[in-house]
Amino acid sequence: MARWPWIAGLAVLAIGAGWFVTRPAPLPATALDGITPDAARGAVTFAAAGCASCHSAADGPREVLAGGRAFVTDYGTFHAPNISSDPVQGVGGWSDLELASAILRGVSPDGAHYYPAFPYTSYVKADVQDVADLIAHLRTLPASDIPSLPHDLRFPYNIRAGLGVWKALYLRDDWVADAPTPELERGRTLVEALGHCAECHTPRDALGGLDRSAWMQGAPNPSGDGRIPAITPAALDWSVQDIAAYLESGFTPEFDSAGGSMADVIHGTALLSDEDRLAIAAYLKALP
Amino acid sequence: MKIRTIIAVAALGLSVTTALAQDSLSEEQQRALNARQAHMGLYGFYLTPLGQMAQDRIPYDAAIASAAANNLAAMAAIDQAAFWVDGTDSSVEGSRARAEIWTDAAGYAQVQQGMVEATAALALVAGDGIDALKGAFGPVGQSCGACHQTYRAPAN
């Protein structure tokens, strides 16, 4: 009899610890202190991060981030929200810190977890300065008053609190690849953080976490049919110049042309500098 | 018991037949699939010298560029309706043509028209020097991507 209060106490402790570990954790209030955003640099980060690939309407201009695209997955259908500068339907009313917490921590202004269809799982590795620049650029883009659509997910994926457990398991800000030179470091930022390439090119385990031991080794298409190809040196014998040319024009060395989601990615990488495209290529060629 | 077994066997036989039927194309379907893939292969054949010049991989040659661009424009412009035989979308082995080509024919016609215009513009200037070629080659690539983005399924 006397041990029941103990068990109840342990249960309360376990629940409390669980809540503590899995609660939404936004950026600290001082995270942006001393940072001066540069909207022009942010335009490059915006292209590299591929924001428009999901947040622009499928048939609309890429600078209008009205949302609405549907992504059909094993968990249900996600709808990219309106992140235009509209103060009501978009994110124009959010503070820089709130936007940075969304991008770098996957936490909404009202303290809820975002689903990792939003690749904060990669952006968590990004530099705070890059994200501040990106936010400054977002504020220069047009407003759209189209309301965001709710996601349509199956049980139990429709319970947001469960995402806290998922984040505790999988949200990691350490790099996968070494970057011993400045070019590889830039390439790593573009590939692992901003470009979030692994989100499609790396396979996932049963709970949807990236399998880092199979980094960039190809995976089933997360939002449709077919497979996303492996892009490791073992699987892709293109030269650094071939990869850079593909990221600029969408053409393979045989002059086939990128399709599917990658055609959207090329819209962004086409806007990068030659140096940035070569840095991405150098990173990929240095993978094991 | 016996009747149940017979029904079960018959159902199994039917489902196997259906599965086999989905995997094998009629001669007409296979010919259409081969023809359109050959057509795509020829796009790549004529794009190669143009793209290699545009990417500074080979020296510019006005005669080669002009000939390739004229052929590309001619190929883009021919009527392709006979390619799209029913039952040959990406649900069959060997095809990467998305069902949207059939269900969104107007959208497909629009992106194809984009390629007709981009290749015609390239053919007009491909013999006028490397800068003219580079300027007109970009939109051709974008027209390829615009179609593949929506209407070509990923490889398996």
Side-chain angles (χ1 to χ4, degrees):
Chain A
M1 282 296 281
R3 63 185 170 154
W4 290 114
W6 275 101
I7 289 173
L10 279 175
V12 168
L13 269 179
I15 291 167
W19 173 83
F20 185 78
V21 169
T22 65
R23 77 201 190 289
L27 288 173
T30 56
L32 299 177
D33 287 2
I35 285 181
T36 308
D38 179 336
R41 280 194 74 238
V44 176
T45 306
F46 177 76
C51 312
S53 298
C54 290
H55 289 284
S56 67
D59 53 356
R62 292 179 66 80
E63 68 276 11
V64 182
L65 305 174
R69 290 199 201 203
F71 300 88
V72 181
T73 73
D74 292 345
Y75 311 102
T77 300
F78 295 96
H79 291 107
N82 181 335
I83 60 160
S84 77
S85 54
D86 188 274
V88 178
Q89 302 298 345
V91 299
W94 298 17
S95 71
D96 285 355
L97 188 66
E98 286 171 332
L99 275 163
S101 272
I103 296 166
L104 288 165
R105 293 291 180 270
V107 176
S108 73
D110 55 1
H113 291 301
Y114 286 121
Y115 286 97
F118 172 28
Y120 60 82
T121 42
S122 292
Y123 300 154
V124 65
K125 300 179 185 181
D127 195 66
V128 175
Q129 176 72 53
D130 282 344
V131 171
D133 296 345
L134 171 64
I135 291 167
H137 176 70
L138 287 178
R139 296 197 188 284
T140 69
L141 298 178
S144 161
D145 61 1
I146 298 173
S148 298
L149 296 170
H151 301 317
D152 181 14
L153 304 178
R154 292 189 292 114
F155 180 82
Y157 309 114
N158 53 358
I159 301 172
R160 274 187 195 262
L163 290 167
V165 178
W166 192 92
K167 281 175 156 180
L169 288 171
Y170 295 115
L171 187 60
R172 293 174 56 174
D173 64 0
D174 55 324
W175 301 106
V176 173
D178 290 333
T181 69
E183 185 186 45
L184 286 171
E185 205 172 319
R186 177 63 179 162
R188 186 171 69 175
T189 291
L190 289 165
V191 173
E192 290 195 25
L194 302 176
H196 59 279
C197 311
E199 303 284 348
C200 288
H201 284 282
T202 298
R204 294 174 184 277
D205 65 17
L207 289 174
L210 291 178
D211 177 2
R212 289 183 165 216
S213 70
W215 195 243
M216 304 295 181
Q217 292 178 16
N221 184 355
S223 56
D225 51 355
R227 283 188 66 81
I228 307 297
I231 51 174
T232 56
L236 190 69
D237 63 359
W238 298 1
S239 70
V240 164
Q241 287 74 21
D242 289 342
I243 296 171
Y246 175 75
L247 295 172
E248 181 177 10
S249 68
F251 282 121
T252 70
E254 297 79 33
F255 290 90
D256 188 1
S257 153
S261 317
M262 196 62 200
D264 253 326
V265 174
I266 302 286
H267 282 296
T269 53
L271 300 173
L272 300 179
S273 66
D274 286 337
E275 290 73 28
D276 275 354
R277 284 187 290 264
L278 288 166
I280 293 171
Y283 171 93
L284 292 176
K285 295 298 279 184
L287 285 177
Chain B
M1 275 305 278
K2 266 194 174 171
I3 288 174
R4 276 196 190 185
T5 312
I6 290 166
I7 290 173
V9 169
L12 185 69
L14 192 65
S15 60
V16 168
T17 314
T18 314
L20 285 177
Q22 280 171 349
D23 278 349
S24 67
L25 295 175
S26 71
E27 192 183 332
E28 183 207 7
Q29 289 171 325
Q30 190 64 54
R31 281 163 58 89
L33 186 62
N34 292 351
R36 68 197 194 212
Q37 289 179 352
H39 192 89
M40 288 291 153
L42 278 175
Y43 281 152
F45 182 71
Y46 292 120
L47 280 165
T48 299
L50 294 163
Q52 288 181 332
M53 288 179 206
Q55 292 176 1
D56 297 319
R57 291 173 183 242
I58 60 172
Y60 175 73
D61 181 309
I64 293 173
S66 250
N70 282 331
N71 287 350
L72 199 59
M75 289 189 60
I78 66 169
D79 185 289
Q80 297 170 20
F83 285 162
W84 310 113
V85 174
D86 282 347
T88 60
D89 68 20
S90 58
S91 64
V92 304
E93 186 72 25
S95 171
R96 291 172 67 188
R98 280 208 190 277
E100 282 80 355
I101 293 176
W102 287 264
T103 59
D104 175 27
Y108 181 72
Q110 193 183 342
V111 294
Q112 199 191 356
Q113 183 59 29
M115 187 186 185
V116 170
E117 288 166 15
T119 52
L122 176 64
L124 272 180
V125 301
D128 297 349
I130 184 63
D131 291 336
L133 185 151
K134 283 183 179 178
F137 188 74
V140 171
Q142 284 152 22
S143 76
C144 300
C147 187
H148 285 175
Q149 179 170 350
T150 309
Y151 299 102
R152 182 175 72 172
N156 276 305

